[in-house]
Coordinates of all heavy atoms in Angstrom, one line a residue:
M296 N 32.5 -85.0 -17.6 CA 31.3 -84.2 -17.3 C 31.7 -82.8 -17.3 O 32.6 -82.4 -16.5 CB 30.7 -84.7 -15.9 CG 29.6 -83.8 -15.4 SD 28.0 -83.9 -16.2 CE 27.7 -85.6 -16.1
Q297 N 31.1 -82.0 -18.2 CA 31.3 -80.6 -18.2 C 30.3 -79.9 -17.3 O 29.1 -80.2 -17.3 CB 31.2 -80.0 -19.6 CG 32.4 -80.4 -20.5 CD 32.2 -79.7 -21.8 OE1 31.4 -80.0 -22.6 NE2 33.1 -78.7 -22.1
L298 N 30.7 -78.9 -16.5 CA 29.9 -78.2 -15.6 C 30.0 -76.7 -16.0 O 31.1 -76.1 -15.9 CB 30.3 -78.4 -14.2 CG 30.2 -79.8 -13.7 CD1 30.8 -79.9 -12.2 CD2 28.8 -80.4 -13.8
L299 N 29.0 -76.1 -16.5 CA 29.0 -74.7 -17.0 C 27.9 -73.9 -16.5 O 26.8 -74.3 -16.3 CB 28.9 -74.8 -18.6 CG 29.9 -75.6 -19.3 CD1 29.4 -75.9 -20.7 CD2 31.2 -74.9 -19.3
N300 N 28.2 -72.6 -16.2 CA 27.1 -71.7 -15.8 C 26.6 -70.8 -16.9 O 26.0 -69.8 -16.6 CB 27.6 -70.9 -14.5 CG 28.6 -69.8 -14.9 OD1 29.2 -69.9 -16.0 ND2 28.8 -68.9 -14.0
I301 N 26.8 -71.3 -18.1 CA 26.2 -70.7 -19.3 C 25.1 -71.6 -19.8 O 25.1 -72.8 -19.5 CB 27.3 -70.3 -20.4 CG1 28.1 -71.5 -20.7 CG2 28.1 -69.2 -19.9 CD1 29.1 -71.3 -21.8
D302 N 24.3 -71.1 -20.7 CA 23.1 -72.0 -21.1 C 23.4 -72.7 -22.5 O 22.5 -73.1 -23.2 CB 21.8 -71.2 -21.2 CG 21.9 -70.0 -22.1 OD1 23.0 -69.7 -22.7 OD2 20.9 -69.2 -22.2
Y303 N 24.7 -72.8 -22.8 CA 25.0 -73.5 -24.0 C 26.4 -74.1 -23.8 O 27.1 -73.8 -22.9 CB 25.0 -72.6 -25.3 CG 26.0 -71.5 -25.2 CD1 27.3 -71.6 -25.8 CD2 25.7 -70.3 -24.5 CE1 28.2 -70.6 -25.7 CE2 26.7 -69.3 -24.4 CZ 27.9 -69.5 -25.0 OH 28.9 -68.5 -24.9
V304 N 26.8 -75.1 -24.7 CA 28.1 -75.6 -24.7 C 28.7 -75.2 -26.1 O 28.2 -75.7 -27.1 CB 28.1 -77.2 -24.6 CG1 29.5 -77.7 -24.6 CG2 27.3 -77.6 -23.3
P305 N 29.7 -74.4 -26.1 CA 30.3 -73.9 -27.3 C 30.7 -75.1 -28.3 O 31.3 -76.0 -27.9 CB 31.6 -73.2 -26.9 CG 31.3 -72.8 -25.5 CD 30.5 -73.9 -24.9
G306 N 30.1 -75.0 -29.5 CA 30.4 -75.9 -30.5 C 29.7 -77.3 -30.4 O 29.9 -78.2 -31.2
K307 N 28.7 -77.4 -29.5 CA 28.0 -78.6 -29.3 C 26.5 -78.4 -29.5 O 25.9 -77.4 -29.0 CB 28.2 -79.2 -27.9 CG 29.7 -79.5 -27.6 CD 30.1 -80.8 -28.2 CE 31.4 -81.2 -27.7 NZ 31.9 -82.5 -28.2
E308 N 25.9 -79.4 -30.1 CA 24.4 -79.5 -30.1 C 24.0 -80.5 -29.0 O 24.7 -81.5 -28.8 CB 23.9 -79.9 -31.5 CG 24.0 -78.9 -32.5 CD 23.3 -79.3 -33.8 OE1 22.3 -80.0 -33.7 OE2 23.9 -79.0 -34.9
F309 N 22.9 -80.3 -28.4 CA 22.5 -81.2 -27.3 C 21.0 -81.2 -27.1 O 20.3 -80.3 -27.6 CB 23.2 -80.7 -26.0 CG 22.8 -79.3 -25.5 CD1 21.7 -79.0 -24.9 CD2 23.7 -78.3 -25.8 CE1 21.4 -77.7 -24.5 CE2 23.4 -77.0 -25.4 CZ 22.2 -76.7 -24.8
E310 N 20.6 -82.2 -26.4 CA 19.2 -82.2 -26.0 C 19.2 -82.1 -24.4 O 20.0 -82.7 -23.7 CB 18.5 -83.5 -26.4 CG 19.0 -84.8 -25.7 CD 18.2 -86.0 -26.1 OE1 17.1 -86.1 -25.6 OE2 18.8 -86.9 -26.8
A311 N 18.2 -81.4 -23.9 CA 18.1 -81.2 -22.5 C 17.4 -82.5 -21.9 O 16.5 -83.0 -22.5 CB 17.2 -80.0 -22.2
L312 N 18.0 -83.0 -20.8 CA 17.4 -84.2 -20.2 C 16.5 -83.9 -19.0 O 15.4 -84.3 -19.0 CB 18.6 -85.1 -19.7 CG 19.5 -85.6 -20.8 CD1 20.7 -86.4 -20.2 CD2 18.8 -86.5 -21.8
D313 N 17.0 -83.1 -18.1 CA 16.2 -82.8 -16.9 C 16.9 -81.9 -16.0 O 18.2 -81.7 -16.1 CB 15.9 -84.1 -16.1 CG 14.6 -84.1 -15.3 OD1 14.1 -83.0 -15.2 OD2 14.2 -85.1 -14.8
L314 N 16.2 -81.3 -15.1 CA 16.8 -80.5 -14.0 C 17.5 -81.5 -13.0 O 17.0 -82.5 -12.7 CB 15.7 -79.7 -13.2 CG 16.2 -79.0 -12.0 CD1 17.0 -77.8 -12.4 CD2 15.0 -78.5 -11.2
V315 N 18.7 -81.1 -12.7 CA 19.5 -81.9 -11.7 C 19.9 -81.0 -10.6 O 20.1 -79.8 -10.7 CB 20.7 -82.6 -12.3 CG1 20.3 -83.8 -13.2 CG2 21.6 -81.7 -13.0
K316 N 20.0 -81.6 -9.4 CA 20.3 -80.8 -8.2 C 21.1 -81.6 -7.2 O 21.0 -82.8 -7.2 CB 19.1 -80.1 -7.6 CG 18.2 -81.1 -6.8 CD 17.0 -81.4 -7.7 CE 16.2 -82.5 -7.2 NZ 16.1 -83.6 -8.2
G317 N 21.8 -80.9 -6.4 CA 22.5 -81.5 -5.3 C 22.4 -80.6 -4.1 O 22.4 -79.4 -4.2
T318 N 22.1 -81.1 -2.9 CA 21.9 -80.3 -1.7 C 22.6 -80.9 -0.6 O 22.8 -82.1 -0.5 CB 20.4 -80.1 -1.5 OG1 20.2 -79.2 -0.4 CG2 19.7 -81.4 -1.1
V319 N 23.0 -80.1 0.4 CA 23.6 -80.5 1.6 C 23.3 -79.5 2.7 O 23.2 -78.3 2.4 CB 25.2 -80.7 1.4 CG1 25.8 -79.3 1.1 CG2 25.8 -81.3 2.7
V320 N 23.1 -80.0 3.9 CA 23.0 -79.1 5.1 C 24.2 -79.3 5.9 O 24.5 -80.5 6.3 CB 21.7 -79.4 5.9 CG1 21.7 -78.6 7.2 CG2 20.5 -79.2 5.1
Q321 N 25.0 -78.3 6.1 CA 26.3 -78.4 6.7 C 26.3 -77.6 8.0 O 25.7 -76.5 8.0 CB 27.4 -77.8 5.7 CG 28.8 -78.1 6.1 CD 29.3 -79.4 5.6 OE1 28.6 -80.2 5.1 NE2 30.6 -79.5 5.7
S322 N 26.9 -78.1 9.0 CA 27.0 -77.3 10.3 C 28.5 -77.2 10.7 O 29.3 -77.9 10.2 CB 26.2 -78.0 11.4 OG 26.9 -79.2 11.7
K323 N 28.7 -76.2 11.5 CA 30.1 -76.0 12.0 C 30.2 -76.7 13.3 O 29.2 -77.0 14.0 CB 30.4 -74.5 12.0 CG 29.4 -73.7 12.9 CD 29.6 -72.3 12.6 CE 28.6 -71.4 13.4 NZ 27.2 -71.8 13.3
N324 N 31.4 -76.9 13.7 CA 31.6 -77.6 15.0 C 31.7 -76.5 16.1 O 31.8 -75.3 15.8 CB 32.9 -78.5 15.0 CG 34.2 -77.7 14.8 OD1 34.3 -76.6 15.3 ND2 35.1 -78.3 14.0
I325 N 31.7 -77.0 17.3 CA 31.6 -76.1 18.5 C 32.8 -75.1 18.5 O 32.7 -73.9 18.8 CB 31.6 -76.9 19.8 CG1 30.2 -77.5 19.9 CG2 32.0 -76.1 21.0 CD1 29.3 -76.9 20.9
G326 N 34.0 -75.6 18.2 CA 35.2 -74.8 18.2 C 35.1 -73.7 17.2 O 35.4 -72.5 17.4
R327 N 34.6 -74.0 16.0 CA 34.4 -72.9 14.9 C 33.4 -72.0 15.4 O 33.5 -70.8 15.1 CB 34.1 -73.6 13.6 CG 35.2 -74.2 12.9 CD 34.8 -74.7 11.5 NE 35.9 -75.3 10.8 CZ 35.8 -75.9 9.7 NH1 34.6 -76.1 9.1 NH2 36.8 -76.4 9.1
D328 N 32.3 -72.4 16.0 CA 31.2 -71.6 16.4 C 31.7 -70.6 17.4 O 31.4 -69.4 17.4 CB 30.1 -72.4 17.0 CG 28.8 -71.6 17.1 OD1 28.6 -70.7 16.3 OD2 28.0 -72.0 18.0
F329 N 32.5 -71.0 18.4 CA 33.0 -70.2 19.4 C 33.9 -69.1 18.8 O 33.8 -67.9 19.1 CB 33.8 -71.0 20.5 CG 34.5 -70.1 21.5 CD1 33.7 -69.5 22.5 CD2 35.8 -69.9 21.5 CE1 34.3 -68.7 23.5 CE2 36.5 -69.1 22.4 CZ 35.7 -68.5 23.4
M330 N 34.8 -69.5 17.9 CA 35.8 -68.6 17.3 C 35.0 -67.6 16.4 O 35.4 -66.4 16.3 CB 36.8 -69.3 16.5 CG 37.8 -70.2 17.3 SD 38.6 -69.2 18.7 CE 39.6 -68.2 17.8
A331 N 34.0 -68.0 15.7 CA 33.2 -67.1 14.9 C 32.5 -66.1 15.8 O 32.5 -64.9 15.4 CB 32.1 -67.9 14.1
G332 N 32.0 -66.5 16.9 CA 31.4 -65.5 17.8 C 32.4 -64.5 18.3 O 32.1 -63.3 18.4
M333 N 33.6 -64.9 18.6 CA 34.7 -64.0 19.0 C 35.0 -63.0 17.9 O 35.3 -61.9 18.1 CB 35.9 -64.8 19.4 CG 35.7 -65.7 20.6 SD 35.1 -64.8 22.1 CE 36.5 -63.9 22.5
K334 N 35.0 -63.5 16.6 CA 35.4 -62.7 15.5 C 34.4 -61.6 15.3 O 34.8 -60.5 14.7 CB 35.5 -63.6 14.2 CG 36.1 -62.9 13.0 CD 37.6 -62.6 13.3 CE 38.2 -62.3 11.9 NZ 39.6 -62.1 12.1
T335 N 33.1 -61.7 15.7 CA 32.1 -60.7 15.5 C 32.5 -59.5 16.3 O 32.0 -58.4 15.9 CB 30.7 -61.2 15.8 OG1 30.7 -61.6 17.2 CG2 30.3 -62.3 14.9
F336 N 33.3 -59.6 17.3 CA 33.7 -58.4 18.1 C 34.7 -57.6 17.4 O 34.7 -56.3 17.6 CB 34.2 -58.9 19.5 CG 33.2 -59.4 20.4 CD1 33.3 -60.7 20.8 CD2 32.1 -58.7 20.8 CE1 32.3 -61.3 21.7 CE2 31.1 -59.2 21.6 CZ 31.2 -60.5 22.1
V337 N 35.6 -58.2 16.7 CA 36.7 -57.4 16.0 C 36.5 -57.2 14.5 O 37.2 -56.4 13.9 CB 38.0 -58.1 16.3 CG1 38.4 -58.1 17.8 CG2 38.1 -59.5 15.8
G338 N 35.6 -58.0 13.9 CA 35.4 -57.8 12.5 C 36.3 -58.7 11.7 O 37.3 -59.3 12.2
G339 N 36.1 -58.7 10.4 CA 36.9 -59.5 9.5 C 36.3 -60.8 9.0 O 35.1 -61.1 9.4
E340 N 37.0 -61.5 8.2 CA 36.5 -62.8 7.6 C 36.4 -63.8 8.7 O 37.3 -64.0 9.5 CB 37.4 -63.3 6.5 CG 36.9 -64.6 5.9 CD 37.8 -65.1 4.8 OE1 38.9 -64.5 4.6 OE2 37.4 -66.1 4.2
I341 N 35.3 -64.6 8.7 CA 35.2 -65.7 9.6 C 35.5 -67.0 8.8 O 34.7 -67.6 8.1 CB 33.7 -65.8 10.1 CG1 33.4 -64.5 10.9 CG2 33.6 -67.0 11.1 CD1 31.9 -64.4 11.3
K342 N 36.8 -67.3 8.9 CA 37.4 -68.4 8.0 C 36.7 -69.7 8.2 O 36.6 -70.5 7.3 CB 38.9 -68.4 8.2 CG 39.6 -67.2 7.6 CD 41.1 -67.3 7.7 CE 41.6 -66.0 7.2 NZ 43.0 -65.9 7.1
G343 N 36.3 -70.0 9.4 CA 35.7 -71.3 9.7 C 34.4 -71.4 8.9 O 34.1 -72.5 8.3
Y344 N 33.6 -70.3 8.8 CA 32.4 -70.3 8.0 C 32.7 -70.4 6.5 O 32.0 -71.1 5.8 CB 31.5 -69.1 8.3 CG 30.8 -69.1 9.6 CD1 30.1 -68.0 10.0 CD2 30.8 -70.2 10.5 CE1 29.4 -67.9 11.2 CE2 30.1 -70.1 11.7 CZ 29.4 -69.0 12.0 OH 28.8 -69.0 13.2
T345 N 33.7 -69.7 6.1 CA 34.1 -69.7 4.7 C 34.4 -71.1 4.3 O 34.0 -71.6 3.3 CB 35.3 -68.8 4.4 OG1 34.9 -67.4 4.8 CG2 35.7 -68.8 3.0
E346 N 35.3 -71.8 5.1 CA 35.7 -73.2 4.8 C 34.4 -74.1 4.8 O 34.3 -75.0 3.9 CB 36.7 -73.7 5.8 CG 38.0 -73.0 5.7 CD 38.9 -73.2 6.9 OE1 38.5 -74.0 7.9 OE2 40.0 -72.6 6.9
M347 N 33.5 -73.9 5.7 CA 32.3 -74.7 5.8 C 31.5 -74.6 4.5 O 31.0 -75.6 3.9 CB 31.5 -74.3 7.0 CG 30.2 -75.1 7.1 SD 29.0 -74.5 8.4 CE 28.4 -73.0 7.5
L348 N 31.3 -73.4 4.0 CA 30.5 -73.1 2.8 C 31.2 -73.6 1.6 O 30.6 -74.2 0.7 CB 30.1 -71.7 2.7 CG 29.1 -71.2 3.7 CD1 28.9 -69.7 3.7 CD2 27.8 -71.9 3.5
V349 N 32.5 -73.5 1.5 CA 33.3 -74.0 0.4 C 33.1 -75.6 0.3 O 32.8 -76.1 -0.8 CB 34.8 -73.7 0.4 CG1 35.6 -74.5 -0.5 CG2 35.0 -72.2 0.2
E350 N 33.2 -76.2 1.4 CA 33.0 -77.7 1.5 C 31.6 -78.1 1.1 O 31.4 -79.0 0.3 CB 33.4 -78.2 2.9 CG 33.2 -79.7 3.0 CD 33.5 -80.2 4.4 OE1 34.0 -79.5 5.3 OE2 33.3 -81.4 4.6
A351 N 30.6 -77.3 1.6 CA 29.2 -77.6 1.3 C 29.0 -77.4 -0.2 O 28.3 -78.2 -0.8 CB 28.3 -76.7 2.1
R352 N 29.5 -76.4 -0.9 CA 29.4 -76.2 -2.3 C 30.0 -77.4 -3.1 O 29.4 -77.8 -4.1 CB 29.9 -74.9 -2.8 CG 29.0 -73.7 -2.5 CD 29.5 -72.5 -3.3 NE 30.8 -72.0 -2.7 CZ 30.9 -71.2 -1.7 NH1 29.8 -70.8 -1.0 NH2 32.1 -70.8 -1.3
Q353 N 31.1 -77.8 -2.6 CA 31.8 -79.0 -3.3 C 30.9 -80.2 -3.2 O 30.7 -80.9 -4.2 CB 33.2 -79.2 -2.7 CG 34.2 -78.2 -3.0 CD 35.5 -78.3 -2.2 OE1 35.5 -79.0 -1.2 NE2 36.5 -77.7 -2.7
I354 N 30.3 -80.5 -2.1 CA 29.5 -81.7 -1.9 C 28.2 -81.5 -2.7 O 27.8 -82.5 -3.4 CB 29.1 -81.8 -0.4 CG1 30.4 -82.2 0.4 CG2 28.0 -82.9 -0.2 CD1 30.2 -82.1 1.9
A355 N 27.6 -80.3 -2.7 CA 26.4 -80.1 -3.5 C 26.7 -80.3 -5.0 O 25.9 -80.9 -5.7 CB 25.8 -78.8 -3.2
T356 N 27.8 -79.8 -5.4 CA 28.2 -79.9 -6.9 C 28.4 -81.3 -7.3 O 27.9 -81.8 -8.3 CB 29.4 -79.0 -7.2 OG1 29.2 -77.7 -6.8 CG2 29.8 -79.1 -8.6
K357 N 29.0 -82.1 -6.4 CA 29.3 -83.5 -6.7 C 28.0 -84.3 -6.8 O 27.7 -85.1 -7.7 CB 30.2 -84.1 -5.7 CG 30.5 -85.6 -6.0 CD 31.5 -86.2 -5.1 CE 31.8 -87.7 -5.4 NZ 30.9 -88.4 -6.2
R358 N 27.1 -84.0 -5.9 CA 25.8 -84.7 -5.9 C 25.0 -84.3 -7.1 O 24.3 -85.2 -7.7 CB 25.0 -84.3 -4.6 CG 25.6 -85.0 -3.4 CD 24.9 -84.6 -2.1 NE 25.5 -85.3 -1.0 CZ 25.2 -85.1 0.3 NH1 24.2 -84.2 0.6 NH2 25.8 -85.7 1.3
M359 N 25.0 -83.1 -7.5 CA 24.4 -82.7 -8.8 C 25.0 -83.4 -10.0 O 24.2 -83.9 -10.8 CB 24.5 -81.1 -9.0 CG 23.9 -80.6 -10.3 SD 24.4 -78.9 -10.6 CE 26.1 -79.1 -10.8
A360 N 26.3 -83.4 -10.1 CA 27.0 -84.1 -11.2 C 26.7 -85.6 -11.2 O 26.4 -86.2 -12.2 CB 28.5 -83.9 -11.1
D361 N 26.6 -86.2 -10.0 CA 26.3 -87.6 -9.9 C 24.9 -87.9 -10.4 O 24.6 -88.9 -11.1 CB 26.4 -88.1 -8.5 CG 27.8 -88.2 -8.0 OD1 28.8 -88.2 -8.8 OD2 28.0 -88.4 -6.8
E362 N 23.9 -87.0 -10.1 CA 22.5 -87.2 -10.6 C 22.5 -87.1 -12.1 O 21.8 -87.8 -12.8 CB 21.6 -86.1 -10.0 CG 20.2 -86.3 -10.3 CD 19.2 -85.3 -9.6 OE1 19.5 -84.9 -8.5 OE2 18.2 -85.1 -10.2
A363 N 23.3 -86.1 -12.7 CA 23.4 -86.0 -14.1 C 24.0 -87.2 -14.8 O 23.5 -87.7 -15.8 CB 24.2 -84.7 -14.5
L364 N 25.0 -87.8 -14.2 CA 25.6 -89.0 -14.7 C 24.6 -90.1 -14.7 O 24.6 -90.9 -15.6 CB 26.9 -89.4 -13.9 CG 28.1 -88.6 -14.2 CD1 29.2 -88.9 -13.1 CD2 28.6 -88.8 -15.6
S365 N 23.8 -90.2 -13.7 CA 22.8 -91.3 -13.6 C 21.8 -91.2 -14.7 O 21.1 -92.2 -15.1 CB 22.1 -91.3 -12.3 OG 21.2 -90.3 -12.1
L366 N 21.6 -90.0 -15.3 CA 20.7 -89.8 -16.4 C 21.4 -90.0 -17.8 O 20.8 -89.9 -18.8 CB 20.1 -88.4 -16.4 CG 19.3 -88.0 -15.2 CD1 18.9 -86.5 -15.3 CD2 18.0 -88.9 -15.2
G367 N 22.7 -90.2 -17.8 CA 23.5 -90.4 -19.0 C 23.9 -89.0 -19.6 O 24.2 -89.0 -20.8
A368 N 24.0 -88.0 -18.8 CA 24.3 -86.7 -19.3 C 25.8 -86.5 -19.6 O 26.6 -87.2 -19.0 CB 23.9 -85.6 -18.3
D369 N 26.1 -85.6 -20.5 CA 27.5 -85.3 -20.9 C 27.9 -84.0 -20.2 O 29.1 -83.7 -20.1 CB 27.6 -85.1 -22.4 CG 27.4 -86.4 -23.1 OD1 27.9 -87.5 -22.8 OD2 26.6 -86.4 -24.1
A370 N 26.9 -83.2 -19.8 CA 27.2 -81.9 -19.2 C 26.1 -81.4 -18.4 O 24.9 -81.9 -18.5 CB 27.6 -80.9 -20.3
V371 N 26.3 -80.5 -17.5 CA 25.3 -79.7 -16.8 C 25.5 -78.3 -17.1 O 26.6 -77.7 -17.0 CB 25.3 -79.9 -15.3 CG1 24.2 -79.1 -14.6 CG2 25.2 -81.4 -14.9
I372 N 24.5 -77.6 -17.7 CA 24.6 -76.2 -18.1 C 23.7 -75.3 -17.1 O 22.8 -75.8 -16.4 CB 24.2 -76.0 -19.5 CG1 22.7 -76.4 -19.8 CG2 25.2 -76.7 -20.5 CD1 22.2 -76.0 -21.2
N373 N 24.0 -74.1 -17.2 CA 23.2 -73.1 -16.5 C 23.2 -73.4 -15.0 O 22.2 -73.2 -14.3 CB 21.8 -73.0 -17.0 CG 21.2 -71.6 -16.8 OD1 21.9 -70.6 -16.7 ND2 19.9 -71.6 -16.8
I374 N 24.4 -73.7 -14.4 CA 24.5 -74.1 -13.0 C 24.3 -72.9 -12.2 O 24.8 -71.8 -12.4 CB 25.8 -74.8 -12.7 CG1 25.9 -76.1 -13.5 CG2 26.1 -74.9 -11.2 CD1 27.3 -76.8 -13.3
R375 N 23.6 -73.0 -11.1 CA 23.3 -72.0 -10.1 C 23.5 -72.6 -8.7 O 23.3 -73.8 -8.5 CB 21.9 -71.4 -10.3 CG 21.7 -70.8 -11.6 CD 22.5 -69.5 -11.8 NE 22.2 -68.8 -13.0 CZ 22.9 -68.9 -14.1 NH1 24.1 -69.6 -14.1 NH2 22.6 -68.2 -15.2
Y376 N 23.8 -71.7 -7.8 CA 23.9 -72.1 -6.4 C 23.0 -71.2 -5.5 O 22.8 -70.1 -5.9 CB 25.4 -71.9 -5.9 CG 26.4 -72.8 -6.5 CD1 27.1 -72.5 -7.7 CD2 26.6 -74.1 -6.0 CE1 28.0 -73.3 -8.2 CE2 27.5 -74.9 -6.5 CZ 28.2 -74.6 -7.7 OH 29.1 -75.4 -8.3
G377 N 22.5 -71.8 -4.5 CA 21.8 -71.1 -3.5 C 22.1 -71.5 -2.1 O 22.6 -72.6 -1.9
S378 N 21.9 -70.7 -1.1 CA 22.1 -71.1 0.2 C 21.2 -70.4 1.2 O 20.6 -69.3 0.8 CB 23.6 -70.8 0.7 OG 23.8 -69.4 0.7
S379 N 20.9 -71.0 2.3 CA 20.1 -70.4 3.3 C 20.4 -71.0 4.7 O 21.0 -72.1 4.8 CB 18.6 -70.7 3.0 OG 18.3 -72.1 3.0
A380 N 20.1 -70.2 5.7 CA 20.3 -70.7 7.0 C 19.1 -71.6 7.4 O 18.0 -71.2 7.2 CB 20.4 -69.6 8.0
V381 N 19.4 -72.8 7.8 CA 18.4 -73.8 8.2 C 18.0 -73.6 9.6 O 16.9 -73.7 10.1 CB 18.8 -75.2 7.8 CG1 17.8 -76.2 8.3 CG2 19.1 -75.4 6.3
M382 N 19.1 -73.5 10.4 CA 18.9 -73.3 11.9 C 20.2 -72.6 12.3 O 21.2 -72.5 11.5 CB 18.7 -74.6 12.6 CG 19.8 -75.6 12.4 SD 19.5 -77.2 13.1 CE 20.3 -77.0 14.7
Q383 N 20.3 -72.2 13.6 CA 21.5 -71.5 14.1 C 22.7 -72.5 13.9 O 22.6 -73.6 14.4 CB 21.3 -71.2 15.5 CG 22.6 -70.6 16.1 CD 22.4 -69.2 16.7 OE1 21.3 -68.8 16.8 NE2 23.5 -68.5 17.0
G384 N 23.7 -72.0 13.2 CA 24.9 -72.8 13.0 C 24.9 -73.9 11.9 O 25.8 -74.6 11.7
A385 N 23.8 -73.8 11.0 CA 23.7 -74.8 9.9 C 23.2 -74.1 8.7 O 22.3 -73.2 8.8 CB 22.8 -76.0 10.3
A386 N 23.8 -74.4 7.6 CA 23.4 -73.8 6.3 C 23.1 -74.8 5.3 O 23.8 -75.9 5.2 CB 24.5 -72.8 5.8
E387 N 22.1 -74.6 4.4 CA 21.8 -75.5 3.3 C 22.4 -74.8 2.1 O 22.4 -73.6 1.9 CB 20.3 -75.6 3.1 CG 20.0 -76.4 1.8 CD 18.6 -76.3 1.3 OE1 18.0 -75.2 1.5 OE2 18.1 -77.3 0.8
V388 N 23.1 -75.6 1.3 CA 23.6 -75.2 0.0 C 23.0 -76.1 -1.1 O 23.0 -77.3 -0.9 CB 25.2 -75.2 -0.1 CG1 25.7 -74.9 -1.5 CG2 25.8 -74.3 0.9
I389 N 22.5 -75.5 -2.1 CA 22.0 -76.3 -3.3 C 22.7 -75.8 -4.5 O 23.0 -74.7 -4.7 CB 20.4 -76.1 -3.4 CG1 19.9 -77.0 -4.5 CG2 20.1 -74.7 -3.6 CD1 18.4 -77.2 -4.5
A390 N 23.0 -76.8 -5.4 CA 23.5 -76.6 -6.7 C 22.5 -77.2 -7.7 O 22.0 -78.3 -7.4 CB 24.9 -77.3 -6.9
Y391 N 22.2 -76.5 -8.7 CA 21.2 -77.0 -9.7 C 21.5 -76.5 -11.1 O 22.2 -75.5 -11.3 CB 19.8 -76.7 -9.3 CG 19.5 -75.2 -9.2 CD1 18.9 -74.5 -10.2 CD2 19.8 -74.5 -8.0 CE1 18.6 -73.2 -10.1 CE2 19.5 -73.2 -7.9 CZ 18.9 -72.5 -9.0 OH 18.7 -71.1 -8.9
G392 N 21.1 -77.3 -12.1 CA 21.3 -76.9 -13.5 C 20.6 -77.9 -14.3 O 19.8 -78.8 -13.9
T393 N 20.8 -77.8 -15.7 CA 20.1 -78.6 -16.6 C 21.1 -79.7 -17.2 O 22.2 -79.3 -17.7 CB 19.6 -77.8 -17.8 OG1 18.7 -76.8 -17.3 CG2 18.9 -78.6 -18.8
A394 N 20.8 -80.9 -17.0 CA 21.6 -82.0 -17.5 C 21.3 -82.1 -19.0 O 20.1 -82.0 -19.5 CB 21.2 -83.3 -16.9
V395 N 22.4 -82.2 -19.8 CA 22.2 -82.3 -21.3 C 23.0 -83.5 -21.9 O 24.0 -83.9 -21.3 CB 22.6 -81.0 -22.0 CG1 21.8 -79.8 -21.5 CG2 24.1 -80.7 -21.8
K396 N 22.6 -84.0 -23.0 CA 23.2 -85.1 -23.7 C 23.6 -84.5 -25.1 O 22.8 -83.9 -25.8 CB 22.3 -86.2 -23.9 CG 22.8 -87.4 -24.6 CD 23.6 -88.3 -23.6 CE 24.1 -89.5 -24.4 NZ 25.2 -90.1 -23.7
F397 N 24.9 -84.7 -25.4 CA 25.4 -84.2 -26.7 C 24.8 -85.1 -27.9 O 24.7 -86.3 -27.7 CB 26.9 -84.2 -26.8 CG 27.6 -83.3 -25.8 CD1 28.8 -83.6 -25.2 CD2 27.0 -82.1 -25.4 CE1 29.4 -82.8 -24.3 CE2 27.6 -81.2 -24.5 CZ 28.8 -81.6 -24.0
K398 N 24.5 -84.4 -29.0 CA 24.0 -85.1 -30.2 C 25.2 -85.7 -31.0 O 26.3 -85.1 -31.0 CB 23.1 -84.2 -31.0 CG 21.8 -83.9 -30.3 CD 21.0 -83.1 -31.2 CE 19.6 -82.8 -30.5 NZ 18.7 -82.1 -31.3

């Protein structure tokens, strides 16, 4: 399964199958939340949040790819990511793109 954030696959002709997406709502644990709160006093990267969002993107990407596979797709093109705060301490991450089948 090829995953591309461009709207074509070099050297391939394809037919578009459908929009595919994967989403996850991820929360941090109490320890990370406390440490993140402390970090706001001194500044800098909040590594616990960074790790949480990296993991959430990986899960969302896998769910998107799994949906594409269920359609018989060979690739997902024009992949995009979005995120939003759902509630205090939890973020939604969505991955979406167009599933395509090579001719």
Side-chain angles (χ1 to χ4, degrees):
M296 170 72 56
Q297 288 185 290
L298 303 174
L299 304 163
N300 70 343
I301 53 179
D302 59 0
Y303 63 94
V304 180
K307 298 280 189 180
E308 289 186 36
F309 58 83
E310 67 173 292
L312 298 177
D313 206 350
L314 173 71
V315 289
K316 70 260 170 240
T318 188
V319 64
V320 175
Q321 190 90 348
S322 68
K323 56 195 178 309
N324 66 38
I325 287 252
R327 283 186 180 168
D328 194 29
F329 176 75
M330 293 308 292
M333 298 303 291
K334 191 69 166 182
T335 60
F336 291 118
V337 295
E340 179 182 6
I341 302 172
K342 292 184 181 182
Y344 285 176
T345 300
E346 291 167 2
M347 177 189 77
L348 288 172
V349 165
E350 181 182 352
R352 278 192 296 275
Q353 290 171 340
I354 293 167
T356 300
K357 181 175 181 344
R358 289 178 180 173
M359 176 192 63
D361 288 346
E362 185 175 334
L364 282 171
S365 74
L366 296 174
D369 296 309
V371 179
I372 62 171
N373 207 25
I374 295 174
R375 299 290 183 258
Y376 292 92
S378 64
S379 63
V381 175
M382 57 185 270
Q383 176 122 12
E387 175 196 33
V388 173
I389 184 168
Y391 59 96
T393 303
V395 298
K396 180 84 175 156
F397 298 146
K398 292 184 178 182

